[in-house]
């Protein structure tokens, strides 16, 4: 394993080096949180694909392929559909808003007062997303170095916290591009063909497995529908995703670069399912479907390639983890802490704002690592995160973008009623049940429509300002001095 170890160590050292380089570039709030809003199509596409294709999409996607066959692709496929929908229908308008958080968008659209409550829901979502990504380090480092769970989480989490804290979004963007390339080579170009060949090709796979493994809908219609509700809609409104949209150089970059990323996700989904199906042929009696990825990598790949593919899995986890971490810290600082303490921006505070956001990444990072050590069930944590996000925030966000009659009272009612319904239904039916997101979303929609129609329409001046921002005719509201190179 010496060659494999060398590949991994070089990769991890490179991540830290890019964090150090990013620190030299991130001199303003805009540079630190949204990479100066200057990413071109290539970097934007790569980083968008990197953040959404994490450990759940890689290790979990292969596991679903092991359990269900080709229909196991649906979870990651619906993630790709969400990125495509976001890019085609909403990303251009989102990019033109020139904000930092989803809650800032809600305040602009509804005239204030929605930020703290929506920020709390978004913070809970991004926190749990970061936690579940961090837990995944335990699986990878166990295969690599036979480390115990706690040490593995601390090791992986510390590296991500370090480069994210140093350079913010610039460091994360650079590392994500490397991670995108490593994932493409490791999973699509190496593991996929090797797994299929080792399993004897598709004809041998069909001969050895039940026909249900090759049924595109074998996983079940209700499961697919739930994936669409949770993941496709979740991609439309998550702070971690929007923060990447904010990095685009132009609305055209956001639209077409995101379309490329979404298409890449669809290909990645099918690849994971095929790898899992091949693993079922090779290892029909694994204790857990989620062991399929690590098993096929450990036992069937040659030296060196094995290290690169494990680096690809590590890249998948790190990209989602770092994206969720900076999103969590951005929401905590800008939407919750700054509002609660009544902070007022003053000229010349740009460096203080960078230091403040850097401190919040460090604090949130330590909290994420500690929570990951204490928490065991990744699926339940991720389900709670997405149920809260979709049940509490989908309606007021999309309603604000699509329905002029929506009001701030309707938005607040939607967040509170939808969030409370999701929590209550998870307690009644179980965290993994489908009912919480179904009925939570319906109750959120009902509250939004009824309360909006029963209250005074949003002030026309607020809507006029909103339309100006949507059209990109209002400059970004900032206290920061413009960087010298702009």
């Amino acid at each position: 394993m010496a060659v494999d170890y060398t590949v991994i160590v070089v990769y991890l050292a490179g991540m830290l080096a890019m964090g150090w380089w990013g620190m030299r570039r991130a001199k303003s709030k805009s540079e630190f949180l949204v990479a100066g809003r200057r990413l071109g199509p290539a970097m934007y596409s790569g980083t968008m694909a990197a953040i959404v294709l994490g450990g759940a999409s890689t290790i979990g996607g292969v596991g679903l392929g092991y359990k269900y066959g080709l229909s196991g692709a649906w979870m990651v496929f619906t993630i790709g559909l969400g990125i495509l929908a976001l890019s085609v229908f909403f990303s251009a308008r989102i990019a033109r808003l020139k904000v930092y958080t989803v809650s800032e968008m809600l305040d602009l659209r509804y005239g204030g007062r929605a930020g703290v409550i929506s920020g709390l829901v978004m913070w809970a979502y991004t926190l749990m997303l970061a936690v579940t990504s961090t837990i995944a380090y335990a699986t990878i480092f166990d295969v690599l170095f036979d480390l115990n769970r706690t040490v593995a989480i601390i090791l992986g989490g510390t590296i991500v916290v370090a480069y994210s804290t140093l350079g913010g979004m610039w460091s994360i963007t650079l590392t994500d591009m490397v991670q995108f390339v490593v994932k493409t080579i490791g999973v699509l170009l190496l593991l996929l063909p090797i797994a299929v060949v080792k399993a004897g090709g598709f004809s041998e796979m069909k001969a050895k497995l039940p026909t249900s493994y090759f049924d595109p809908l074998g996983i079940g219609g209700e499961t697919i529908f739930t994936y669409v509700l949770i993941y496709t809609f979740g991609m439309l409104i998550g702070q971690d995703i929007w923060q990447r949209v904010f990095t685009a150089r132009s609305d055209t970059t956001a639209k077409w670069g995101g379309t490329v990323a979404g298409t890449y996700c669809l290909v990645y989904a099918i690849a994971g399912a095929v790898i899992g199906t091949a693993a079922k042929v090779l290892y029909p009696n694994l204790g857990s479907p989620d062991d399929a990825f690590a098993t096929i990598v450990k036992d069937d790949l040659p030296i060196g390639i094995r290290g690169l593919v494990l680096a690809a899995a590590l890249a998948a986890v790190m990209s989602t983890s770092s994206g969720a971490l900076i999103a969590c810290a951005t929401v905590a600082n800008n939407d919750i802490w700054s509002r609660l303490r009544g902070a007022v921006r003053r000229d010349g505070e740009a460096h203080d704002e960078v230091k403040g956001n850097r401190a919040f990444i460090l604090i949130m990072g330590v909290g994420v690592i500690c929570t990951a050590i204490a928490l065991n069930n990744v699926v339940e944590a991720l389900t709670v995160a997405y149920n809260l996000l979709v049940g509490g925030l989908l309606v007021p966000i999309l309603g604000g973008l699509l329905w002029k009659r929506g009001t701030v009272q309707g938005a607040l009612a939607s967040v509170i009623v939808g969030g409370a319904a999701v929590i209550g239904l998870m307690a009644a039916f179980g965290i993994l049940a489908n009912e919480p997101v179904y009925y939570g979303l319906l109750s959120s929609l009902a509250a939004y429509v009824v309360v909006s129609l029963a209250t005074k329409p949003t002030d026309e001046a607020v809507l006029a300002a909103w339309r100006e921002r949507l059209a990109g005719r209002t400059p970004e509201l900032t206290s920061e001095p413009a960087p010298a190179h702009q």
Side-chain angles (χ1 to χ4, degrees):
M1 292 285 287
V3 175
D4 297 324
Y5 290 161
T6 301
V7 171
I8 298 297
V9 170
V10 169
Y11 169 76
L12 294 177
M15 296 300 99
L16 290 173
M18 289 183 183
W20 183 260
W21 186 91
M23 181 178 69
R24 299 173 59 190
R25 186 158 188 174
K27 300 299 185 182
S28 70
K29 180 180 178 180
S30 177
E31 297 279 358
F32 190 81
L33 294 182
V34 291
R37 307 189 195 274
R38 286 184 293 164
L39 297 192
M43 291 194 76
Y44 179 84
S45 298
T47 57
M48 179 62 84
I51 187 176
V52 298
L53 296 174
S57 299
T58 304
I59 298 169
V62 172
L64 287 171
Y66 183 90
K67 186 174 182 179
Y68 297 106
L70 298 186
S71 67
W74 272 107
M75 183 188 78
V76 183
F77 204 83
T78 55
I79 290 173
L81 292 178
I83 295 300
L84 284 172
L86 174 72
S87 301
V88 172
F89 298 113
F90 300 107
S91 63
R93 282 183 283 178
I94 292 170
R96 287 195 294 265
L97 288 173
K98 303 296 185 193
V99 294
Y100 291 99
T101 68
V102 175
S103 295
E104 287 183 45
M105 166 263 167
L106 291 173
D107 278 353
L108 280 170
R109 165 59 182 82
Y110 295 110
R113 295 184 292 167
V116 173
I117 294 176
S118 62
L120 286 170
V121 175
M122 190 64 77
W123 175 78
Y125 156 72
T126 53
L127 177 70
M128 295 312 295
L129 185 62
V131 166
T132 54
S133 301
T134 303
I135 291 173
Y137 295 128
T139 301
I140 299 169
F141 281 111
D142 176 56
V143 175
L144 282 172
F145 305 118
D146 197 26
L147 296 175
N148 73 51
R149 181 178 183 276
T150 299
V151 174
I153 289 172
I154 292 173
L155 175 60
T158 299
I159 293 170
V160 169
V161 172
Y163 74 69
S164 300
T165 301
L166 285 172
M169 187 59 81
W170 268 122
S171 294
I172 293 170
T173 296
L174 293 170
T175 55
D176 277 359
M177 278 304 298
V178 174
Q179 289 157 359
F180 171 75
V181 172
V182 170
K183 276 191 287 194
T184 301
I185 295 172
V187 175
L188 297 185
L189 302 183
L190 293 176
L191 182 57
L192 174 60
I194 290 173
V196 172
V197 170
K198 289 276 188 178
F202 284 101
S203 58
E204 188 71 14
M205 290 161 64
K206 286 185 176 181
K208 290 187 176 181
L209 294 173
T211 55
S212 62
Y213 266 69
F214 301 92
D215 179 0
L217 303 178
I219 199 170
E222 185 178 358
T223 299
I224 295 171
F225 180 66
T226 302
Y227 284 159
V228 170
L229 278 185
I230 293 177
Y231 296 114
T232 301
F233 287 140
M235 293 299 107
L236 296 179
I237 59 174
Q239 169 68 25
D240 52 323
I241 308 301
W242 277 41
Q243 200 156 345
R244 292 310 170 98
V245 176
F246 300 151
T247 66
R249 184 168 61 200
S250 66
D251 52 8
T252 303
T253 296
K255 182 175 182 178
W256 295 111
T259 301
V260 171
T263 305
Y264 179 91
C265 292
L266 302 184
V267 174
Y268 200 88
I270 296 170
V274 171
I275 293 167
T277 305
K280 183 67 175 179
V281 173
L282 295 168
Y283 309 98
N285 300 310
L286 291 178
S288 168
D290 286 342
D291 293 336
F293 181 89
T295 302
I296 197 169
V297 169
K298 193 173 184 179
D299 295 346
D300 288 288
L301 297 185
I303 293 172
I305 290 178
R306 179 172 50 198
L308 183 60
V309 173
L310 285 172
L314 199 56
V317 176
M318 283 186 158
S319 56
T320 299
S321 181
S322 59
L325 176 59
I326 194 171
C328 178
T330 302
V331 170
N333 187 21
N334 293 273
D335 290 339
I336 300 173
W337 173 244
S338 293
R339 295 168 191 258
L340 292 178
R341 71 187 177 109
V344 177
R345 295 182 180 181
R346 293 184 297 273
D347 289 341
E349 287 189 342
H351 289 285
D352 290 337
E353 287 193 278
V354 170
K355 290 178 181 177
N357 283 292
R358 185 173 279 137
F360 265 86
I361 292 178
L362 181 59
I363 294 167
M364 292 296 111
V366 172
V368 163
I369 292 171
C370 293
T371 306
I373 292 170
L375 201 63
N376 284 316
N377 197 313
V378 179
V379 176
E380 288 192 357
L382 197 61
T383 302
V384 169
Y386 275 100
N387 280 352
L388 280 173
L389 177 70
V390 174
L393 289 179
L394 178 68
V395 171
I397 292 171
L398 293 190
L401 289 169
L402 300 173
W403 191 39
K404 178 182 176 181
R405 187 60 180 81
T407 67
V408 66
Q409 294 87 351
L412 289 171
S414 179
V415 173
I416 294 169
V417 171
V422 164
I423 293 170
L425 290 165
M426 283 193 294
F429 291 97
I431 289 175
L432 299 180
N434 292 327
E435 287 84 357
V437 71
Y438 291 171
Y439 298 117
L441 192 55
L442 287 174
S443 62
S444 177
L445 177 61
Y448 182 71
V449 173
V450 171
V451 175
S452 290
L453 292 175
T455 52
K456 184 180 177 182
T458 305
D459 187 86
E460 186 56 38
V462 172
L463 290 177
W466 165 252
R467 287 191 293 269
E468 289 292 303
R469 288 296 284 269
L470 272 181
R473 290 192 289 266
T474 304
E476 178 181 350
L477 299 177
T478 177
S479 62
E480 302 162 5
H485 55 271
Q486 287 188 327

